[in-house]
């Protein structure tokens, strides 16, 4: 295990799952709130846990949001009440994990871009085909592969019954903001939130050092 990886000891069930009522029901506050929270995945391979260190907000009316042209079969989960899972495939290859963030029928969401792996590293390494802990879930496509995120989760609530949920251990977390990554629409909006100096955050060193 990487000497810089934070240790984390089971049992994971000692951390109560966050209910939808615990989550802010607005996109930008939710994107900030998720920083430092725990992402827990339980499926056939076992349990994986990571601390969320990077998110991006895609609020109502945002030209970069998938909901900008209205509800479709592909983006329908973005229009569910806040706290639902939205999964899409980017570039034809990489799954992306999101959470719906507004009231029902208001399309918006938060992309979970990166986590600091805490437990289940052997499973993540096997799924990613790499050993470097820093690269296991650094970036949304890597995260989805490490946590076995696919379309079967789309439209479900973040909850233990669905195998993917959010929790909190109360650890204090510093948060900073920058412009979002890899978009051309509304590219100057400072709606990417991350833990400064985290080794698990994606993005360029210049962007992470300068923030907005």
């Amino acid at each position: 295990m990487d000497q810089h990886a934070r240790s984390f000891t089971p049992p994971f069930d000692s951390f109560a799952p966050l209910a939808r009522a615990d989550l802010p029901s607005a996109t930008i506050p939710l994107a900030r709130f998720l920083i430092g929270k725990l992402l827990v995945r339980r499926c056939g391979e076992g349990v994986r846990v990571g601390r969320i260190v990077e998110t991006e907000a895609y609020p109502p009316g945002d030209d970069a949001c998938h909901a900008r042209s209205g509800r479709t079969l592909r983006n329908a989960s973005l229009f569910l009440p806040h706290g639902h899972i939205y999964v899409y495939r980017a570039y034809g290859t990489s799954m992306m994990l999101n959470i719906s963030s507004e009231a029902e029928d208001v399309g918006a969401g938060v992309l979970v871009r990166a986590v600091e792996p805490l437990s289940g590293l052997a499973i993540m390494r096997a799924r990613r085909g790499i050993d470097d802990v820093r690269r296991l879930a650094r970036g949304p496509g890597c995260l989805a592969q490490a946590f076995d995120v696919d379309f079967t989760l789309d439209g479900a609530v973040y909850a233990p019954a669905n195998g993917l949920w959010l929790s909190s251990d109360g650890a204090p977390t510093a948060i900073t903001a920058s412009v979002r990554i890899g978009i051309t629409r509304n590219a100057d909006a400072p709606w990417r939130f991350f833990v400064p100096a985290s080794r698990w955050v994606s993005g360029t060193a210049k962007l992470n050092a300068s923030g907005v």
Side-chain angles (χ1 to χ4, degrees), residues 175-197:
I175 303 174
T176 191
S178 80
V179 297
R180 294 171 294 183
I181 295 174
I183 61 172
T184 55
R185 299 172 184 262
N186 204 12
D188 294 332
W191 293 336
R192 171 180 174 253
F193 302 96
F194 62 97
V195 177

Side-chain angles (χ1 to χ4, degrees), residues 15-171:
F15 297 107
L18 294 173
R20 285 185 54 237
D22 299 322
L23 310 176
S25 57
T27 307
I28 294 172
L30 178 60
R32 293 185 62 92
F33 173 85
L34 291 174
I35 299 297
K37 301 302 186 290
L38 303 178
L39 181 70
V40 187
R41 175 73 165 126
R42 178 186 285 137
C43 59
E45 297 169 301
V47 176
R48 278 142 282 185
V49 182
R51 189 178 305 281
I52 298 173
V53 295
E54 182 182 2
T55 62
E56 284 182 341
Y58 291 85
D62 177 19
D63 283 343
C65 181
H66 285 181
R68 65 182 178 272
S69 298
R71 188 194 301 259
T72 66
L73 288 176
R74 181 191 186 211
N75 70 15
S77 297
L78 276 179
F79 291 82
L80 295 174
H82 81 290
H84 284 76
I85 301 167
Y86 169 50
V87 177
Y88 69 91
R89 193 193 306 273
Y91 313 115
T93 57
S94 299
M95 295 294 186
M96 302 281 146
L97 177 64
N98 304 261
I99 179 169
S100 62
S101 55
E102 299 282 340
E104 188 170 8
D105 296 327
V106 179
V110 174
L111 172 65
V112 184
R113 283 198 59 91
V115 305
E116 173 190 347
L118 298 177
S119 191
L121 272 67
I123 302 172
M124 297 186 204
R125 285 178 167 126
R127 289 196 57 81
R128 293 277 293 119
I130 59 174
D131 187 64
D132 184 354
V133 68
R134 184 170 175 265
R135 297 172 54 204
L136 291 179
R138 182 175 179 262
C142 299
L143 183 159
Q145 185 178 22
F147 277 71
D148 193 13
V149 171
D150 60 24
F151 288 125
T152 63
L153 294 167
D154 186 52
V157 175
Y158 280 81
N162 297 320
L164 183 69
W165 69 96
L166 300 163
S167 186
S168 176
D169 60 359

